[in-house]
Amino acid sequence: MTAAEPPDDAWVQKHYARLRQSAWLLCGRADVADDLTQETFAKAIDGWHRFEGRSEVSTWLYSILLRQHAKRSRTAMRATERVRRWLEMAKKPNAVVDDPATLLAKKAWRESLWAEVATLPPRQQQVVLLRFAEGFTYQQIAEACHIPVGTAKTRLHAALQRLRDRHCIQVLKESQEGALEISTALPNIAQRHLEV
């Protein structure tokens, strides 16, 4: 497909699964990931005429996804603050009890390495997601985030250092090619081989 051809169903199907997975890794909730993915595709289709073809379509889609996630995060923080203030004023906390399946899913998310990644600053979350979940090169990360390649490397290094400092990961060895063998320090997470 060229930049002149409008997106069709096949185009959406081609990119949907990976984008949806990345959305889930960013937010940790399936329902929010679905919404985020749909919003991303809606923005992409609406803005298709602005896509100049200077980068890969997937890189462009991830830049939209990251912007949508940042927008949702800001909105959620404002809403959370409003609810917190309201609850303090009302002095009646609303306790919602989740069903057992939801509780298990939330527990698995909290215990996962991606839960730790979600606590990183948003810019560091983005580069970790693109590098390790999507296998992007530094160049692709730079294009998706609209930053220089050196900044992408610096953000990734800082994110990995934070995870090391929290004892979430341990770098077992580093090869001359820059591949890191990383194991997690969290329970129930298999050893991972990540290329930096």
Side-chain angles (χ1 to χ4, degrees), residues 127-140:
V127 295
V128 169
L129 169 84
L130 293 176
R131 183 69 173 151
F132 297 120
E134 295 305 320
F136 273 30
T137 65
Y138 289 120
Q139 182 64 41
Q140 290 171 319

Side-chain angles (χ1 to χ4, degrees), residues 5-145:
E5 298 174 28
D8 57 11
D9 288 342
W11 178 81
V12 172
Q13 290 299 323
K14 176 182 176 185
H15 297 284
Y16 188 87
R18 287 187 66 196
L19 203 65
R20 184 357 184 112
Q21 176 186 352
S22 294
W24 184 83
L25 290 173
L26 278 171
C27 64
R29 291 183 43 199
D31 58 334
V32 176
D34 290 337
D35 292 345
L36 192 55
T37 304
Q38 291 173 7
E39 290 168 10
T40 299
F41 278 108
K43 290 281 187 188
I45 291 168
D46 287 345
W48 185 254
H49 63 280
R50 290 188 302 272
F51 177 63
E52 298 172 353
R54 291 187 299 199
S55 65
E56 296 177 34
V57 171
S58 60
T59 303
W60 180 64
L61 282 171
Y62 281 102
S63 69
I64 295 170
L65 174 70
L66 296 175
R67 283 194 305 273
Q68 288 301 111
H69 177 256
K71 180 181 174 184
R72 277 180 156 265
S73 295
R74 287 189 302 270
T75 302
M77 286 189 318
R78 287 191 298 268
T80 300
E81 181 58 25
R82 283 193 303 269
V83 169
R84 186 191 61 76
R85 281 184 286 173
W86 182 85
L87 287 174
E88 284 178 1
M89 287 174 47
K91 300 290 183 192
K92 293 181 184 177
N94 286 341
V96 177
V97 179
D98 290 327
D99 64 292
T102 303
L103 290 172
L104 282 174
K106 286 180 179 180
K107 183 178 183 223
W109 166 251
R110 284 190 305 270
E111 291 177 354
S112 76
L113 180 59
W114 287 108
E116 287 296 323
V117 171
T119 65
L120 294 172
R123 292 177 176 172
Q124 290 179 5
Q125 284 179 32
Q126 293 170 357
V127 295
V128 169
L129 169 84
L130 293 176
R131 183 69 173 151
F132 297 120
E134 295 305 320
F136 273 30
T137 65
Y138 289 120
Q139 182 64 41
Q140 290 171 319
I141 293 169
E143 290 173 10
C145 296

